[in-house]
Amino acid sequence: MNDEKFEEDWEVYQSILRLTKTLLKQGTTPAVAREIVLKSTEYRVWTSTLRCFSICCDEIEFYLDLKGTVEFEQYDEDLRSLALEEMHGMLVF
């Protein structure tokens, strides 16, 4: 496999992931996110040429999985923030 081609394809895939995660973070449902992504410039770029790996942007499971990832990342961020608040509250000056 050509490393340059893989890197190029990976970057295009990452742009699709960023778009999808942004939509889901904004509260877009997985079904609506799917519709938007499949009509996006990023997806058109992906489908414009043969890629060295495949992605499943046309399947709802892709969006449901990413929604779970987004929710987990938010939960993790909230817990870390809460832990920092607790730690700062325990500091004695």
Side-chain angles (χ1 to χ4, degrees), residues 77-91:
E77 185 179 317
D78 292 346
L79 283 177
R80 289 175 188 271
S81 179
L82 183 60
L84 282 174
E85 287 177 23
E86 288 293 321
M87 285 175 38
H88 287 288
M90 292 180 179
L91 295 177

Side-chain angles (χ1 to χ4, degrees), residues 34-47:
R34 178 180 178 268
E35 289 177 28
I36 293 169
V37 169
L38 293 178
K39 294 177 184 174
S40 71
T41 301
E42 292 85 348
Y43 189 69
R44 269 185 259 130
V45 169
W46 178 264
T47 59

Side-chain angles (χ1 to χ4, degrees), residues 12-93:
V12 176
Y13 173 61
Q14 291 302 307
S15 71
I16 292 170
L17 279 180
R18 282 189 297 274
L19 170 61
T20 305
K21 287 176 87 173
T22 297
L23 291 168
L24 294 169
K25 284 179 185 177
Q26 294 171 346
T28 306
T29 65
V32 172
R34 178 180 178 268
E35 289 177 28
I36 293 169
V37 169
L38 293 178
K39 294 177 184 174
S40 71
T41 301
E42 292 85 348
Y43 189 69
R44 269 185 259 130
V45 169
W46 178 264
T47 59
S48 67
T49 188
L50 184 62
R51 301 294 175 177
C52 59
F53 59 91
S54 61
I55 59 176
C56 303
C57 290
D58 56 332
E59 297 178 17
I60 194 65
E61 289 79 9
F62 174 79
Y63 302 89
L64 293 170
D65 287 347
L66 276 177
K67 183 176 190 247
T69 299
V70 165
E71 289 172 346
F72 175 80
E73 288 171 351
Q74 184 60 54
Y75 180 72
D76 182 59
E77 185 179 317
D78 292 346
L79 283 177
R80 289 175 188 271
S81 179
L82 183 60
L84 282 174
E85 287 177 23
E86 288 293 321
M87 285 175 38
H88 287 288
M90 292 180 179
L91 295 177
V92 177
F93 295 98

